[in-house]
Amino acid sequence: MDPTGLDLPPLAAAFVFGLLGGAHCIGMCGGIMSALTFAVPPSMRSPARLSGLLLGYNLGRIASYMMAGALAASLGTLIALSPQARLGLQALAAVMLILMALYIANWWKGLLKVEAVGRRLWRHLEPVGRRLMPVVRVPQAFALGAVWGWLPCGLVYSMLAWSLAIADPLRGAALMGAFGLGTLPALLATGLAARQLGTLIRHPATRTLAALSIIAFALWQLWTLLPGASMH
């Protein structure tokens, strides 16, 4: 069952949500990308090497998202044993998307409370990431990105709620992979110091448009869950 209740392919929607969340990604992870770039010894900062390292970081990060998506969807298979439970998970996914939109637009920061749940795990993983620096090789960058992927993030948690509703580990992993690919342009641009794109993504109008688009999608999702909605 498609948890969106729409004909729009879930992977395409997840990718678009990743793109729309670019402003938040730059705000939360842009500093990390810049720090990782400057941590590379000056003699090794050729464009080709930096591009490879930045891609390695982000592929590692996306791999962690996919693992988390598979785990969340596996949990969903245990919860969604009845139609009522499945509807509850789908409603939760829609509500989390709305919270994500409010977060992106800086209208309400309630997701920060959700991020607090992941900080306990992050306290154990952060020292592992530090031991991998400075990064000079792509496999090293991938490993650091895989650790970085577990950084507490309300945006990611919102998408994991969607994976939970899908209740299929392979599809949950694919969904998070598509979302991660959507975040890639903003973070690669930040790492490569593309200021114009970064300014556009962070602009309040861009964030507002992104938030309204996600809210509209989530409300449509909730509408499809109402009894008899499919008959209209």
Side-chain angles (χ1 to χ4, degrees):
M1 182 184 297
D2 179 356
T4 66
L6 304 175
D7 293 331
L8 180 65
L11 295 185
F15 179 80
V16 171
F17 289 162
L19 287 174
L20 296 178
H24 171 74
C25 294
I26 288 178
M28 185 168 185
C29 300
I32 297 175
M33 292 294 291
S34 298
L36 293 174
T37 300
F38 285 111
V40 177
S43 60
M44 298 182 177
R45 291 182 193 169
S46 67
R49 179 181 289 272
L50 283 180
S51 297
L53 293 178
L54 291 173
L55 188 59
Y57 294 137
N58 283 283
L59 290 180
R61 175 178 60 86
I62 294 171
S64 289
Y65 290 174
M66 294 179 70
M67 181 182 298
L71 291 174
S74 296
L75 178 60
T77 61
L78 300 177
I79 298 175
L81 297 178
S82 69
Q84 293 78 10
R86 175 61 67 90
L87 286 175
L89 289 179
Q90 292 174 354
L92 172 64
V95 170
M96 289 297 290
L97 288 179
I98 293 173
L99 296 182
M100 176 174 75
L102 298 177
Y103 193 19
I104 289 173
N106 287 323
W107 292 336
W108 189 63
K109 296 292 187 179
L111 275 185
L112 289 175
K113 297 180 180 179
V114 180
E115 289 182 359
V117 176
R119 291 196 186 111
R120 294 182 180 180
L121 174 63
W122 181 244
R123 282 200 295 266
H124 297 288
L125 291 176
E126 186 180 14
V128 177
R130 288 180 180 176
R131 286 196 290 270
L132 291 169
M133 296 182 68
V135 176
V136 294
R137 301 189 310 276
V138 172
Q140 191 180 4
F142 182 89
L144 182 56
V147 174
W148 170 26
W150 297 96
L151 181 73
C153 174
L155 204 63
V156 173
Y157 295 162
S158 297
M159 293 304 300
L160 285 176
W162 197 2
S163 295
L164 183 72
I166 283 180
D168 181 322
L170 290 179
R171 291 181 63 202
L175 186 83
M176 292 304 296
F179 167 75
L181 289 175
T183 66
L184 198 56
L187 288 178
L188 283 179
T190 302
L192 295 173
R195 294 181 181 179
Q196 291 182 344
L197 178 59
T199 300
L200 174 63
I201 293 175
R202 287 193 298 268
H203 195 281
T206 305
R207 298 173 75 110
T208 298
L209 179 60
L212 292 176
S213 300
I214 294 174
I215 289 174
F217 183 95
L219 290 177
W220 192 355
Q221 178 180 346
L222 286 172
W223 181 83
T224 63
L225 300 179
L226 296 175
S230 61
M231 299 176 61
H232 293 293

